[in-house]
Amino acid sequence: MSTLQIGLAIIGGLVLAGVVAYNAWVTSKSAPRTARERHGDAAEERAGDETLPYTPADLAEHEIQRIDPVLGDMPGAPSPPDPAEVAAAAAAVSLNPLMTQPPEKRPGLDALIDVIAPLLLEHEVSGDALLAALPGTRRVGSKPFAVEGQSETTGEWESPRLGQRYRALQAGVQLANRSGPLNDIEFSEFVVKAQAFADAVGASPDFPDMRAEVARARELDTFASGHDAQLGFTLRARRAAWSPGYVAQHAAKLGFVAGALPGRMVLSGSHSGQAPILSLVFDPQAAMAEDPEQTALREIALSLEVTHVPRSEQPFVRMRQAAVALAEAMDGVVTDDAGQPLSVEALDQIGADLESLYDALDSRDLSAGSAQARRLFS
């Protein structure tokens, strides 16, 4: 073999090795970031990049819209898990240990948001008899139906319980919820159901005027429609995609824990039985994939059910801080649902709008996070 042929062979080998190395580099850069990776300071990673995570573009509008809720998670607040454990949990999302606690006590009937009909008794009745006479379904149309008894021992109104005796009864149906106001047909169904129960336990019902209650339901629904709010931010990857474990690792550092559904994490409230302050959601199919660490997420969502979280928890402040922290840590950008980056000015305006909404709810004794508000906005 001549010297020329040997030289050409060497050059060809070097070119081939360079192509292979380049392809490997491109593949590694495009692979989703995983929880096992360790990155330097986010600011250093972005050095020399002229594109900032937030632009001065304001939101076109900040209208608070009424949106049906997602079924919430029971709260719990364990300490942030180890990153390796989080990565493993991404393949099979585990339940928060505190989710096994007994459910919170059901809020009682309230004249503010319920039609209430007294059921007059001639003598005390046992909780066993009341439970046996309850209707098979606890709904009237799209509204919750309930029966309560006044305990002989405590004098408090409560749902009937075995072994207890009650000296007074009342039946109720909710005036409005996210399905709309109580209508004539639903009120009539309430009367039929309550009357049947009263007959079974020997009580005499005293129903309020239908026209007045239906009108009250419409007025309450009008107020609720104008003051229902669910806020959502979208975090989008600027360069490399994220794996579910990578997202979970960074979210756990901010106090998020696994929710009951795949692809869902929650930031728990400070009190037992309270709705989650924030929810973080990503593609559930990615969370349930055979190898989650090889699935790519280009975006995740942060949401706040405004009317379900007490104002004292400062939910919007914490939502804003979480969004910014996650964006900086994972090299992402915070946007609205339309993909428009949210500026500082836009976020400030949303915060001011929420303060006005909280004031309006307080003025109606329907403060955000209260039992009445959570029932009405459900």
Side-chain angles (χ1 to χ4, degrees), residues 153-334:
T153 56
T154 67
E156 299 291 329
W157 290 97
E158 63 180 26
S159 297
R161 294 187 296 140
L162 292 173
Q164 302 298 309
R165 298 193 65 80
Y166 299 96
R167 59 191 183 195
L169 301 174
Q170 60 185 14
V173 61
Q174 196 163 310
L175 284 165
N177 57 16
R178 280 177 169 152
S179 297
L182 185 77
N183 56 40
D184 293 1
I185 294 176
E186 289 174 324
F187 186 92
S188 298
E189 185 179 341
F190 163 65
V191 170
V192 171
K193 183 166 289 192
Q195 182 68 65
F197 173 80
D199 291 343
V201 299
S204 301
D206 182 13
F207 296 108
D209 180 71
M210 182 181 74
R211 292 182 181 275
E213 294 302 303
V214 169
R216 195 160 67 96
R218 290 172 180 166
E219 190 277 332
L220 181 61
D221 180 69
T222 298
F223 173 83
S225 298
H227 297 84
D228 198 355
Q230 185 182 53
L231 293 180
F233 292 162
T234 300
L235 275 69
R236 303 180 189 276
R238 297 172 67 239
R239 295 189 186 85
W242 311 311
S243 71
Y246 184 76
V247 171
Q249 177 185 18
H250 286 285
K253 293 178 181 179
L254 300 177
F256 285 85
V257 296
L261 301 176
R264 178 180 172 87
M265 300 184 73
V266 296
L267 183 64
S268 302
S270 57
H271 301 289
S272 176
Q274 182 178 308
I277 297 174
L278 301 175
S279 296
L280 185 153
V281 180
F282 54 87
D283 182 6
Q285 296 300 321
M288 295 187 295
E290 184 174 346
D291 187 0
E293 292 302 281
Q294 296 304 312
T295 59
L297 299 172
R298 298 297 307 179
E299 64 180 45
I300 60 176
L302 273 175
S303 63
L304 164 62
E305 190 76 39
V306 177
T307 55
H308 286 211
V309 183
R311 189 182 203 171
S312 59
E313 294 279 9
Q314 296 186 302
F316 180 69
V317 172
R318 298 172 73 172
M319 181 182 188
R320 182 173 178 172
Q321 292 173 342
V324 171
L326 288 172
E328 290 180 351
M330 301 192 303
D331 192 17
V333 57
V334 183

Side-chain angles (χ1 to χ4, degrees), residues 53-62 64 231-235 302 304 315-325 327-328 333-337 340-355:
Y54 306 105
T55 71
D58 289 341
L59 283 177
E61 57 184 24
H62 310 294
I64 295 176
L231 293 180
F233 292 162
T234 300
L235 275 69
L302 273 175
L304 164 62
F316 180 69
V317 172
R318 298 172 73 172
M319 181 182 188
R320 182 173 178 172
Q321 292 173 342
V324 171
E328 290 180 351
V333 57
V334 183
T335 73
D336 62 11
D337 291 340
Q340 296 299 312
L342 291 171
S343 67
V344 172
E345 293 79 8
L347 293 172
D348 289 343
Q349 183 59 53
I350 294 174
D353 292 342
L354 284 182
E355 289 302 314

